[in-house]
Amino acid sequence: MVAHVVRLRLTLWAGSLRASPWQIVGLALGLLNAVLVSLVLVGSMAYTRTIAEETWDVTLIVGGALVVVGWWVVPLLAFGVDSALDPRRFALLAVPRRPLLAGLAVAGLLGIPGLTTLAVATAGLLVWVPDILPIIVGLVLLPVVMLTCIAGSRAFALLMEPLLAARRFREVVGVLALAPIVVVAPALGQSLRALRRGADVAPALIEIVGWTPPGAVWAVQVDVAQGRWGRAAAHLAIALVTAALLVKLWDVGLERALTTPPPRPNVVAQHGPGWFGRLPATPTGAVLARSLTYWARDSRYISNLTVLPVLVVALHVLSQGAAPVTTIIAPAIVAFTLGWAVVADVAMDSSAFWLHASAGVRGIADRTGRALAVLVVGVPAVVVTFVAGAWRADRWGLAPASLGLSAVLLGASLGISSLVSAWVLFAVPAPGDGPFSTPHGSATANLFVQSLAWIVVMVLATPSIVLTVYAWRGSAAAGWGGLALGLTLGVGLLVAGLRVGARIYDARVPELVHALRTRG
């Protein structure tokens, strides 16, 4: 069964590569990224070990623990779990659960995240040279590390799936995620400042993180290298119990997935026409009303609004209120993120896109309506983010430069994403699916196009970035010039993106409808 599931995973992977050249390009870039990350990691860790053994120990234990936590948490908040081998697809095949779980665990390695983590963990062992014993221990524990990452990711996704069916829970999950950030970030910031002052915080970090479930498996190598066999045995016990508990939780979640129907989102009754009754009865007004309804009720859009406060609070806490971060970087990130949110709008419409096609909605009305919805949400969000940052740092004089940079990033990202969304259909969760449902191949399919588009946005925003730097250094003229340039360039790029996107949309409506129907 294990070999069969792995072979099925490889077959699906090969099929996705044959389906589109973008998949091959994305896979190549992902594998190249894994190699580069491994090389950089080995070099940096080798350098830190030559400076101080304690620094290397902190890098290994704390860095390794963050990798494990990333596997557990990031899919829940942002990217989702690849559904190529969704366990529910095996429900009617009478497949034994335990062999299926083993097969899914091995198949979990066959992806960019799994291969990257495996490459980084393996390459990190080279830093122990010429000490052979820690290398041997690391190789023995490598399966435990990967099992802890994969089992934790799948277990939390399956067990939290019923909660995500509740709309209210989806709306507050981002706010709930603030709690660990608010607690952990100050401690991390204090540690970084202590390191800059030359204080010896390594023993405290090792002692705290090493006894946690994500960090225990990494602390074993350090204990063995230092000859502390009692602590090594204790850390090993914590690591094995953690892995076993996560496998058990995954098994419980897998049993439920195989024997119960998937939870569906709660349907919230809507009385009256809503936004459709408040906006003009024009094609642009109808698209705007529909988009605003998505932003208020669709969990795939709401996730953008719930993750951003988490990110902004983390930036504020980690930077300890540093003015460049709170007044410039935070609003710019909010502007870029919300502007890019419509890049998969057509794909997320799914079969409902037929309404636009059958009604003969022109491209300019479609593109403009969707963009206006983002501006309704994005402009207040950017302004609130800046006001909070300027109040915290007491740097109100940076308002012109900061708002100018945010304007050009919002306009450029929104214009280019309006163009790209009519050209490329990204793999996105289907309507009603939770954030854990990420269609197979989406990571590699989206990588190249989005990376290239992001580079274009940054290049177009370069003049505003330069003026913002001068404004930060005290030039009031550069600040006001940045505001004028940002508004002009942002509006111009948005209008140009909408017009080009509208032409692409009008030319590709039949292809878009066919592609969406084929997916469904």
Side-chain angles (χ1 to χ4, degrees), residues 315 322-335 385 402 405-406 409 468:
L315 288 173
V325 176
T326 61
T327 61
I328 297 175
I329 296 178
I333 290 177
V334 171
T385 303
S402 176
L405 177 61
S406 298
L409 287 175
T468 303

Side-chain angles (χ1 to χ4, degrees), residues 386-412:
F386 169 77
V387 170
W391 175 78
R392 179 177 174 84
D394 195 20
R395 291 296 301 270
W396 298 98
L398 292 175
S402 176
L403 296 179
L405 177 61
S406 298
V408 71
L409 287 175
L410 180 61

Side-chain angles (χ1 to χ4, degrees), residues 270-282 285-286 288-290 292-293:
Q270 179 70 38
H271 301 286
W275 286 107
F276 291 93
R278 304 186 186 105
L279 296 172
T282 63
L288 172 58
R290 186 178 177 208
L292 289 175
T293 303

Side-chain angles (χ1 to χ4, degrees), residues 9 12-16 23 82-85 89 427 438-443:
R9 180 69 170 92
L12 291 172
W13 200 2
S16 66
Q23 300 274 12
D82 193 341
S83 61
L85 294 178
R89 299 182 180 181
T438 301
H440 171 57
S442 60

Side-chain angles (χ1 to χ4, degrees), residues 106-198:
V106 177
L109 291 174
L110 303 179
I112 298 300
L115 294 177
T116 301
T117 304
L118 183 62
V120 169
T122 304
L125 298 176
L126 300 177
V127 184
W128 290 109
V129 175
D131 298 335
I132 302 299
L133 191 56
I135 297 178
I136 296 175
V137 172
L139 287 174
V140 173
L141 291 179
L142 194 58
V144 179
V145 171
M146 298 309 303
L147 183 61
T148 301
C149 293
I150 296 173
S153 176
R154 300 308 192 268
F156 295 147
L158 288 174
L159 292 176
M160 291 187 66
E161 188 178 36
L163 295 177
L164 266 295
R167 177 172 174 250
R168 291 300 179 190
F169 182 85
R170 291 197 302 267
E171 292 174 352
V172 303
V173 66
V175 178
L176 295 176
L178 288 174
I181 293 177
V182 172
V183 173
V184 174
L188 182 58
Q190 293 288 346
S191 301
L192 293 177
R193 288 197 301 276
L195 284 174
R196 286 196 295 266
R197 294 195 304 265

Side-chain angles (χ1 to χ4, degrees), residues 15 55 109 152 161 166 172 195 242 317-318 322 353 422 501:
T55 305
L109 291 174
E161 188 178 36
V172 303
L195 284 174
T242 299
V317 174
L318 290 176
F353 181 74

Side-chain angles (χ1 to χ4, degrees), residues 20 53 103 143-144 188 206 246 294 304 306 309 355 405 407 414 432 438 442 451 461 471 482 509:
S20 171
E53 191 75 24
V144 179
L188 182 58
I206 293 174
L246 291 174
Y294 283 169
N304 291 311
T306 55
L355 293 174
L405 177 61
L414 184 54
T438 301
S442 60
S451 299
V509 166

